[in-house]
Amino acid sequence: MAPDVHQSPPEPDGSPGREEAEDADGPKGAEGPEPATTGSGKRRRSLRLTLPGCWGALLLACLSFTPSLLPRGGVLQGLICGISAAIGYGLGVIAAYVWRAFADREARDASRRSWQVLLVCAIVLFGLAFAFGQYWQHEIRELMGVTDYDVLTTIACPFVAALVFWLLLLAGRGLRRLYRWLARHLRRWIGPRAAGVVGWVVVAALAWSVISGVLLAGFVNATNEAFSLRDTETPEGVHQPTSALRSGGPGSLVPWDTLGYQGRAFTGTGPTAPEIGAFTHRPAQEPVRAYAGLATADDTEARAERAVADLLRAGGFERANLLVMTTTGSGWVDPAAVDTFEYLGDGDVATVALQYSYLPSWLSYLVDQSKARQAGRELFDAVYDVWSKLPQDQRPRLFVAGESLGSFGGETAFSGEYDLRNRTAGTLFAGPPNFNTLFREFSDHRDPGSPEIEPVYQQGRTVRFTDDPTTGITPEGAPWDGTRVLYLMHPSDPIVWWSPSLALSEPDWIGEAPGGDVLEGMFWIPFVTFWQVTADLPFSTGVPDGHGHTYKAAYVDGWNAVMRPSGFTPQDLDRLRDIIQPPEN
């Protein structure tokens, strides 16, 4: 960032001081006409920086190198640094304006010596922050067993940061010019103060509508179109099932070509009866898998009814265990979750799921929450409607599961702890997003003294939380009778901890003792921490199992705790973990 700061020393005419006033005057700047300037003069002014803004940019740029939840590459760090610097610049300009308002004075020209001091401090502080940042990233990679390191992207970090900073700064100044133009025209009909206020409101509303409406909607639509084409494909190595126990197979009410990419992966794979028997050393059944894709029916309710009808046809309600699985956006079901359920259930199980979007999980997480909510509720209600009408001694044990946005959708079918306890035999949610209604209720009302990364709710009578079920599930030794509800959540999972409130308020989980895979040096910084965790989201599954948003082997002990199957030893669970998540050579 230092070279960019050096571009703005005061010129002989003292113009940087006037530019400082322009940047910070807010609505007041609309009260008088702008001085006439040539085209080259406007270009020079658009590239100038103010001294208070540069100090703010330097401070937040340096703080952006502090550790967050996951290891960051150089390009990603540059993006975070640039965004943080732009925010810091704006805060510096605003702070200077507020201070001048209280001091009741105009902006003064920044002296050449002031710029020289800034330049020296920028070189020293940014260099130190960059060095400490590399050390912290090394420590995080060590905690997670990540060996990848790209020197070139690390070197590119400052340049990416400078580019992002300038783009955001120029965008902000473009909005300011638009405001001034609008305010100048409004003064023909209303007073100057009212024109200033109305101008800011209109520009802010216009910017928000463009970002949230035009740009975001366009991006989502383009992505939706791209992934809808992928949905017509079949994963490599997956073939149409020959078993009548699978949707898309012989006699199925759901045609194979309507299942979608993830639906075909779900029904066309999975452990067979011989494979399950080889693990359990006893006779096993072929599991039932029912699924409905977006092309199966026109709306969510119809898809849920079709999936349940196919489940009924395949004999899913005659099995000992029945799992309602809420998918992520594109219809993805984590094989580790269902495969483990089938192994521990001796194959005497059935699973039903449906697709509600074409979008990948991380994008669905941001824009498809309502679809996930509807899918989770409609599917469970359709299953429960059939299940509840069966004689009590002929009903399968009814379980619910979901990962990430799937846990959000799965929760929406229930009103709270007692509803989960009364209508299910057990629930397993992995990586719940921070906005999950029940997750937030259980976490926010946790027992006094229990940490947010592993809360205890109502002494653990029904709902419990763990980051690693192999090491025990708190509160250990306390009764856990009847229905068991278990949340798997890693301390380093940004999906679990991301929230808009991170921008302005410190959450409990940062102020508490960190989890086993989070650096003790992580601390909350206004605005910066929000962008750090936001940038972690798309890369949350790019870390080894047991960290971030990657839950594989944890399903073995998680389902073992929830299902309470008989006949499995700790050694059996070790073997199953190797099946679900084969060790790397």
Side-chain angles (χ1 to χ4, degrees):
M1 298 301 295
D4 304 309
V5 173
H6 188 57
Q7 292 176 3
S8 304
E11 296 184 5
D13 61 0
S15 56
R18 305 312 307 160
E19 175 66 14
E20 179 180 324
E22 284 186 18
D23 276 340
D25 61 7
K28 181 180 176 181
E31 294 180 9
E34 284 186 288
T37 56
T38 64
S40 60
K42 288 183 178 180
R43 285 194 296 271
R44 286 197 303 271
R45 190 174 63 189
S46 67
L47 296 175
R48 289 174 179 164
L49 300 172
T50 71
L51 187 65
C54 286
W55 277 111
L58 174 62
L59 177 61
L60 262 66
C62 291
L63 290 175
S64 73
F65 287 94
T66 56
S68 61
L69 298 174
L70 300 178
R72 299 192 294 266
V75 173
L76 182 60
Q77 177 59 61
L79 177 65
I80 298 172
C81 183
I83 293 174
S84 299
I87 294 173
Y89 184 89
L91 293 175
V93 169
I94 292 173
Y97 170 70
V98 172
W99 183 84
R100 288 198 304 272
F102 278 97
D104 193 23
R105 72 166 183 81
E106 296 296 323
R108 299 173 182 173
D109 294 347
S111 67
R112 185 176 298 275
R113 181 176 180 80
S114 298
W115 286 102
Q116 291 173 344
V117 170
L118 172 66
L119 176 61
V120 173
C121 290
I123 295 174
V124 174
L125 294 178
F126 191 83
L128 288 173
F130 185 85
F132 275 110
Q134 299 312 303
Y135 169 76
W136 285 320
Q137 292 305 309
H138 171 74
E139 291 291 297
I140 296 176
R141 290 195 297 269
E142 285 285 319
L143 282 177
M144 298 187 178
V146 176
T147 57
D148 294 341
Y149 180 72
D150 193 328
V151 177
L152 292 179
T153 59
T154 302
I155 296 174
C157 171
F159 302 98
V160 173
L163 176 62
V164 172
F165 171 74
W166 276 112
L167 290 176
L168 292 175
L169 184 64
L170 292 176
R173 289 182 174 177
L175 291 175
R176 185 187 64 190
R177 289 195 180 94
L178 177 61
Y179 148 72
R180 286 175 172 169
W181 176 86
L182 182 62
R184 186 167 59 249
H185 285 76
L186 286 173
R187 285 200 303 274
R188 299 176 181 176
W189 297 280
I190 59 178
R193 294 185 181 276
V197 173
V198 172
W200 276 118
V201 171
V202 171
V203 170
L206 179 63
W208 174 253
S209 65
V210 169
I211 295 173
S212 63
V214 178
L215 295 182
L216 181 59
F219 174 71
V220 171
N221 289 336
T223 306
N224 199 57
E225 288 295 325
F227 280 94
S228 67
L229 295 177
R230 180 176 182 264
D231 213 47
T232 62
E233 302 173 357
T234 300
E236 185 177 355
V238 174
H239 303 284
Q240 185 174 359
T242 57
S243 170
L245 302 178
R246 302 292 179 100
S247 291
S252 173
L253 303 178
V254 182
W256 171 253
D257 60 359
T258 70
L259 290 173
Y261 185 90
Q262 299 295 351
R264 286 188 281 274
F266 173 67
T267 64
T269 60
T272 62
E275 290 172 336
I276 296 173
F279 164 71
T280 61
H281 302 297
R282 52 181 177 258
Q285 297 187 48
E286 192 79 19
V288 174
R289 291 191 176 189
Y291 192 95
L294 280 175
T296 303
D298 293 334
D299 58 71
T300 303
E301 183 178 0
R303 285 194 296 273
E305 291 175 354
R306 183 72 66 86
V308 172
D310 206 38
L311 177 70
L312 185 62
R313 173 203 61 82
F317 288 93
E318 299 169 12
R319 296 305 179 96
N321 303 286
L322 174 56
L323 173 62
V324 180
M325 189 82 186
T326 307
T327 67
T328 60
S330 60
W332 178 74
V333 176
D334 191 341
V338 179
D339 291 0
T340 302
F341 186 79
E342 293 172 344
Y343 275 108
L344 294 179
D346 288 326
D348 190 12
V349 305
T351 304
V352 60
L354 61 81
Q355 179 187 15
Y356 55 84
S357 175
Y358 292 124
L359 300 178
S361 179
W362 68 271
L363 190 54
S364 296
Y365 171 74
L366 297 176
V367 301
D368 268 353
Q369 296 178 23
S370 61
K371 294 181 180 179
R373 181 185 293 110
Q374 184 181 15
R377 183 173 57 250
E378 295 287 358
L379 182 58
F380 182 83
D381 287 348
V383 171
Y384 191 80
D385 183 60
V386 176
W387 179 88
S388 62
K389 295 174 183 177
L390 297 174
Q392 289 193 8
D393 59 349
Q394 296 180 25
R395 295 174 182 171
R397 294 197 301 166
L398 184 56
F399 295 89
V400 174
E403 180 173 326
S404 190
L405 199 58
S407 71
F408 171 75
E411 277 191 2
T412 57
F414 305 95
S415 60
E417 175 196 4
Y418 286 108
D419 200 17
L420 283 164
R421 187 181 187 93
N422 293 334
R423 295 206 291 162
T424 72
T427 300
L428 183 60
F429 290 138
N434 194 264
F435 54 71
N436 278 21
T437 303
L438 296 186
F439 169 64
R440 284 265 47 95
E441 176 185 333
F442 301 148
S443 181
D444 292 343
H445 296 88
R446 61 188 180 273
D447 294 351
S450 64
E452 189 174 15
I453 62 170
E454 197 170 26
V456 175
Y457 179 74
Q458 297 294 336
Q459 300 178 337
R461 63 188 180 190
T462 302
V463 182
R464 298 195 180 187
F465 302 80
T466 184
D467 69 319
D468 184 3
T470 62
T471 60
I473 301 173
T474 56
E476 296 186 58
W480 200 11
D481 304 321
T483 296
R484 293 184 174 186
V485 177
L486 180 61
Y487 285 85
L488 301 175
M489 52 186 206
H490 296 145
S492 58
D493 186 352
I495 300 291
V496 176
W497 308 118
W498 181 89
S499 170
S501 63
L502 274 173
L504 296 174
S505 61
E506 180 181 4
D508 292 343
W509 60 270
I510 290 184
E512 299 167 345
D517 58 354
V518 176
L519 284 186
E520 293 186 5
M522 182 178 180
F523 58 95
W524 178 76
I525 306 168
F527 300 107
V528 175
T529 300
F530 169 79
W531 287 112
Q532 288 177 328
V533 178
T534 300
D536 286 337
L537 292 175
F539 306 96
S540 58
T541 58
V543 292
D545 185 33
H547 305 285
H549 197 59
T550 306
Y551 300 86
K552 300 294 183 186
Y555 277 115
V556 173
D557 293 272
W559 273 127
N560 184 60
V562 172
M563 295 175 69
R564 287 169 285 185
S566 59
F568 292 102
T569 65
Q571 292 73 26
D572 292 330
L573 298 181
D574 289 338
R575 289 192 297 114
L576 185 54
R577 278 192 291 271
D578 290 339
I579 294 173
I580 299 301
Q581 180 64 19
E584 297 182 1
N585 295 326

